[in-house]
Amino acid sequence: MKILITGANGQVGQALVNKLQGNAELLAVTREQLDITNEAKVQTQVQAFLPDVIINAAAYTAVDKAEQEQELAHQINAAGPEFLAKAAESINAALLHISTDYVFAGDKQGSYSELDKTNPQGAYGASKLAGEKAVAACCQKHIILRTAWVFHENGANFVKTMLRLGKERDSLGIVGDQFGGPTYAGDIAEALIQIAQHITSGQPTSYGIYHFAGMPHVSWFEFASAIFDAAVKHQVIDKKPQLNAISTAEFPTPAKRPANSKLNCEKIQREFGITPSNWRNALERIEDY
């Protein structure tokens, strides 16, 4: 199995490299090594390596900054995936592309399925949706994996922010009216590897869009509470700070966040036997953060 990974220094990218080293013929590139917004360089790299599968873990993820940097977000999240898709198609490779819950408005009751109407509310979500459409249009053998609330030992994320603030403050206000499924990046990597193995083994594959996120669904407030419970249990912090649930309106941000980021993961379980990420298990390794 020959795999090209872009965005190798991101949360999912690092997790993929850790799991695949020694288990596949691997070319993992950072943005410095391969700028996916440069179509000629993408084509040259893909033609030189000739991967069976390309996993695009490169993304512009600064949700608030995207409101001011819309062109940059579009280049990385839409144009880059389009160039990768065209390159993959040219050598009959499969493209596995990571997307986001932000393609939805977040105003639905219940969880979002792959068939639900997209309606991004900000520049980041719009750029990711444009990337999805480009991938689907340019590469027949594509898997678009939508995920949410990603965290890992490496990189900046909510878990690390909470641990830092928990050491600095006695009380914290955490948003309690946004709901989703925290997703461990190592589990996203595992899901992508399982799909890649399925494809390269020659089994019939249902290409298209899939949801993969964590269970159970919780609010940011509930997630923070679980983080601090694990941190105290594993002696990462001395005591749990006082947590106060606040509303989205009390914590304004430049970009609108979806109130509902719950992703229905039944399709990926049905097609590939992949179960949702167990984020509580991932918190048992909290001393590594």
Side-chain angles (χ1 to χ4, degrees):
M1 189 164 64
K2 290 181 75 174
I3 298 183
L4 170 63
I5 298 170
T6 61
N9 56 355
Q11 293 186 96
V12 177
Q14 288 188 62
L16 281 164
V17 171
N18 291 343
K19 289 174 181 291
L20 283 168
Q21 270 178 336
N23 298 310
E25 193 175 339
L26 188 63
L27 177 61
V29 291
T30 64
R31 188 181 180 186
E32 290 70 35
Q33 293 165 323
L34 177 62
D35 179 358
I36 64 168
T37 69
N38 185 318
E39 186 169 17
K41 286 185 177 175
V42 168
Q43 275 288 352
T44 299
Q45 185 74 85
V46 169
Q47 293 290 339
F49 185 59
L50 296 175
D52 303 308
V53 178
I54 299 170
I55 303 179
N56 180 32
Y60 180 107
T61 57
V63 174
D64 289 324
K65 274 179 79 176
E67 297 301 315
Q68 280 73 50
E69 297 183 344
Q70 295 191 25
E71 180 54 36
L72 180 60
H74 184 85
Q75 282 297 308
I76 297 170
N77 290 344
E82 178 182 340
F83 301 152
L84 288 167
K86 287 177 176 176
E89 184 71 12
S90 73
I91 61 165
N92 194 35
L95 174 61
L96 278 49
H97 172 69
I98 302 167
S99 193
T100 175
D101 55 300
Y102 276 73
V103 299
F104 296 116
D107 55 2
K108 181 187 176 179
Q109 298 297 311
S111 58
Y112 281 95
S113 83
E114 292 84 353
L115 298 175
D116 279 317
K117 183 176 179 289
T118 53
N119 183 17
Q121 300 294 293
Y124 167 70
S127 70
K128 292 296 286 183
L129 180 59
E132 287 189 5
K133 290 178 176 178
V135 166
C138 298
C139 182
Q140 285 189 312
K141 292 164 64 173
H142 70 271
I143 298 285
I144 293 163
L145 195 75
R146 291 181 184 145
T147 190
W149 295 23
V150 180
F151 68 98
H152 193 249
E153 294 90 341
N154 302 307
N157 56 65
F158 185 76
V159 175
K160 286 193 169 184
T161 300
M162 287 301 103
L163 292 177
R164 176 175 55 80
L165 292 175
K167 291 170 183 173
E168 296 171 358
R169 303 182 192 175
D170 294 325
S171 67
L172 294 168
I174 310 292
V175 172
D177 58 359
Q178 293 173 20
F179 296 86
T183 315
Y184 179 58
D187 292 338
I188 299 171
E190 198 63 52
L192 289 165
I193 291 166
Q194 271 189 246
I195 293 170
Q197 288 170 335
H198 181 98
I199 292 167
T200 55
S201 70
Q203 297 179 68
T205 302
S206 296
Y207 292 102
I209 297 172
Y210 289 85
H211 289 173
F212 178 78
M215 290 290 282
H217 294 136
V218 285
S219 67
W220 286 113
F221 173 82
E222 291 166 325
F223 187 31
S225 183
I227 291 166
F228 288 121
D229 286 343
V232 171
K233 175 184 171 184
H234 292 278
Q235 301 178 329
V236 175
I237 58 174
D238 295 329
K239 64 182 179 68
K240 184 176 182 177
Q242 170 70 41
L243 299 181
N244 304 302
I246 61 173
S247 68
T248 299
E250 292 174 272
F251 190 73
T253 54
K256 184 181 178 185
R257 263 69 175 168
N260 175 14
S261 286
K262 298 174 187 174
L263 298 179
N264 182 311
C265 300
E266 291 174 7
K267 182 184 175 185
I268 198 168
Q269 199 158 352
R270 187 171 64 246
E271 295 290 339
F272 296 106
I274 294 170
T275 56
S277 173
N278 187 327
W279 57 265
R280 291 191 186 278
N281 275 0
L283 291 183
E284 289 300 311
R285 297 183 293 278
I286 201 158
E287 62 267 26
D288 296 332
Y289 285 75

